[in-house]
């Protein structure tokens, strides 16, 4: 397979997984607000407990997604190191390096 195409696949997978993680964090915040609203309205305890179950499921996705990001990051780094000479003029290489650097700063 063409190295640029492989880089594009790895880059987009890494980027998509990052977006998923941000979405999970946002969903957790929204779910917490939803639960708080139900509690403030003194809603049925069954409804509240069901919403808390949903929250727990969302929270469980965060470490799974973080693990996936680390795996994609590692695959992308290895691929870049192994194919750097073939990708020197590839514009996507710079974008991939930037996203890796940004993720490394977050860790």
């Amino acid at each position: 397979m063409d190295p640029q195409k492989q880089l594009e696949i790895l880059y987009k997978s890494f980027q998509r997984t990052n977006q998923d993680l941000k979405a999970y964090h946002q969903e957790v915040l929204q779910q917490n607000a939803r639960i708080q609203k139900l509690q403030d309205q003194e809603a049925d305890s069954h409804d509240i407990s069901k919403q808390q179950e949903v929250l727990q499921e969302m929270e469980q996705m965060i470490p799974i997604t973080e693990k996936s990001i680390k795996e994609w990051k590692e695959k992308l780094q290895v691929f870049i190191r192994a194919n750097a000479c073939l990708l020197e003029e590839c514009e996507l290489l710079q974008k991939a390096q930037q996203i890796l650097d940004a993720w490394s700063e977050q860790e």
Side-chain angles (χ1 to χ4, degrees):
M1 183 183 287
D2 177 40
Q4 288 187 4
K5 186 68 176 168
Q6 285 180 290
L7 176 62
E8 182 179 356
I9 291 168
L10 290 169
Y11 172 77
K12 287 184 177 182
S13 297
F14 182 71
Q15 192 176 39
R16 184 184 62 247
T17 308
N18 269 315
Q19 291 170 347
D20 290 347
L21 181 62
K22 289 176 186 176
Y24 287 130
H25 281 291
Q26 185 64 33
E27 288 176 13
V28 165
L29 292 174
Q30 291 171 348
Q31 188 65 16
N32 275 320
R34 187 175 297 123
I35 291 169
Q36 186 60 49
K37 183 178 177 183
L38 287 172
Q39 290 172 336
D40 291 346
Q41 295 174 344
E42 298 179 3
D44 183 56
S45 62
H46 178 72
D47 291 340
I48 293 171
S49 68
K50 284 296 179 187
Q51 292 302 314
Q52 288 171 332
E53 286 177 25
V54 170
L55 175 63
Q56 287 175 337
E57 290 174 11
M58 288 177 186
E59 288 174 333
Q60 290 173 355
M61 290 306 299
I62 291 173
I64 293 168
T65 307
E66 287 173 340
K67 181 181 178 203
S68 182
I69 287 172
K70 288 179 183 179
E71 290 170 358
W72 282 116
K73 177 185 172 190
E74 188 175 313
K75 288 177 185 179
L76 188 54
Q77 287 173 326
V78 167
F79 181 81
I80 289 172
R81 277 190 295 255
N83 295 284
C85 62
L86 300 173
L87 299 167
E88 285 177 353
E89 296 181 20
C90 179
E91 165 180 331
L92 188 57
L93 177 63
Q94 294 171 351
K95 289 181 181 179
Q97 197 58 53
Q98 288 172 348
I99 197 171
L100 286 172
D101 292 344
W103 179 254
S104 294
E105 289 174 9
Q106 292 176 9
E107 289 184 307

